[in-house]
Amino acid sequence: MSFGQGGPSWGPGGNRTPDWAALADESAARSRRKKWLMIGGGALATAAIAAIVATAVISTNNNGGSTGSGKNASQLPGPADLPTDSAEPEPSFSTVAPPPPPDPKDYISDVKKDRAPISIDSFYPGRKLTMGDRVYAKGATHRTTNCAATTQGALGSILTNNGCDEVIRATYSKEGIAVTVGVAVFETEAQAKKAAQQASGGLASLSGVGVPTFCRGGSICRRTANSYGRYAYFTVGGFTNGKNVTTADKNVYAVGDDLTDFTFRQIRHRGEVQASAAATAPTS
């Protein structure tokens, strides 16, 4: 006798025999149910943890002020609440304009300011003079307080009457042309300027040191007169062979112009040096 599918069967001797196939199916079903329960439980646990983490993040943002909105954002100090005082001093600027730099001409226009030593070498240093590509040999030099003795014609009395203190002369030569240049020193600019404007006659040429006598004995030579500051300066130039100078003798004019330009630069440089020293001197 037997029962339907899934029920027990009776074996020989009346013993009840288990339905092994049914039992295997039931065990497999239980295993499947347990597996799905474990998967579902794990998913629920993961969701719960994610919710906790999300809650913690939101709580941090709201309570820690790490975002730009929420409760703590409204508690940030406004511009009016920020400190304005600083321990550092504020920069200040003087409203007084600095004094202008000294004018170099002021220092060679009056004996009270022009205190630098005067010597032949301070005006005509070295043994030759180079102006561009032109080189002149330096000849004789002379310095004297007898201003009239360095002149020809009326220039001596003009220098004396205007208060000349001394005259420094130097001669330069090149290729048969010689020029003597002389600097007459006065106490004021007005005296020097007047002497140059009144100039008549001229400077006496200075020979020696390889330069023969020139511009003497009635020969015609070129003469110039100028002034700058308290210094008047003059030239006399011509040929060493006694030839008369004409306007066509451009070489004679060129030598004289070079010596005139060089003398002016030396006088101006004298003022620049003294003005620079005054500008950098410490003030009390």
Side-chain angles (χ1 to χ4, degrees):
M1 178 178 179
S2 64
F3 294 88
Q5 184 178 0
S9 64
W10 300 93
N15 293 328
R16 188 177 181 180
T17 302
D19 189 343
W20 299 108
L23 290 174
D25 291 339
E26 184 178 354
S27 176
R30 285 198 302 271
S31 296
R32 286 193 297 272
R33 286 195 300 272
K34 184 176 181 181
K35 180 178 180 180
W36 284 112
L37 287 173
M38 291 180 65
I39 294 174
L44 290 173
T46 300
I49 293 172
I52 293 172
V53 172
T55 302
V57 170
I58 293 172
S59 177
T60 300
N61 287 337
N62 288 337
N63 296 328
S66 59
T67 64
S69 61
K71 176 182 177 182
N72 283 282
S74 63
Q75 295 178 350
L76 291 174
D81 299 328
L82 295 175
T84 57
D85 295 335
S86 173
E88 296 294 330
E90 293 291 333
S92 59
F93 302 93
S94 175
T95 58
V96 180
D103 185 351
K105 191 177 180 183
D106 289 344
Y107 288 84
I108 44 97
S109 294
D110 194 300
V111 68
K112 295 178 181 178
K113 283 190 174 183
D114 188 10
R115 309 305 297 173
I118 293 177
S119 67
I120 293 175
D121 286 341
S122 67
F123 285 99
Y124 304 107
R127 302 178 68 175
K128 62 183 180 179
L129 173 63
T130 301
M131 297 290 287
D133 59 352
R134 302 172 299 282
V135 180
Y136 305 108
K138 183 179 177 181
T141 60
H142 181 253
R143 178 183 182 185
T144 181
T145 56
N146 185 358
C147 298
T150 66
T151 67
Q152 290 181 319
L155 184 60
S157 60
I158 292 171
L159 296 182
T160 301
N161 292 339
N162 283 290
C164 175
D165 292 328
E166 62 177 302
V167 173
I168 295 173
R169 289 183 295 167
T171 296
Y172 291 86
S173 64
K174 178 184 178 183
E175 299 174 354
I177 297 172
V179 175
T180 295
V181 57
V183 178
V185 184
F186 299 84
E187 289 191 356
T188 68
E189 179 181 16
Q191 291 173 319
K193 186 175 182 179
K194 188 175 180 181
Q197 291 174 340
Q198 294 177 343
S200 178
L203 193 69
S205 63
L206 182 66
S207 58
V209 192
V211 179
T213 300
F214 67 102
C215 292
R216 299 289 182 100
S219 61
I220 299 174
C221 292
R222 186 197 182 210
R223 305 179 188 275
T224 67
N226 296 277
S227 70
Y228 187 70
R230 69 187 189 104
Y231 302 91
Y233 49 103
F234 309 88
T235 67
V236 54
F239 295 101
T240 57
N241 61 6
K243 175 185 173 182
N244 290 333
V245 176
T246 69
T247 56
D249 294 316
K250 303 303 181 183
N251 290 340
V252 175
Y253 281 73
V255 178
D257 290 346
D258 278 346
L259 288 177
T260 297
D261 185 36
F262 179 73
T263 302
F264 167 76
R265 293 183 188 182
Q266 291 295 90
I267 298 171
R268 184 179 63 183
H269 179 67
R270 179 181 178 88
E272 291 170 346
V273 170
Q274 295 182 89
S276 178
T280 58
T283 56
S284 57

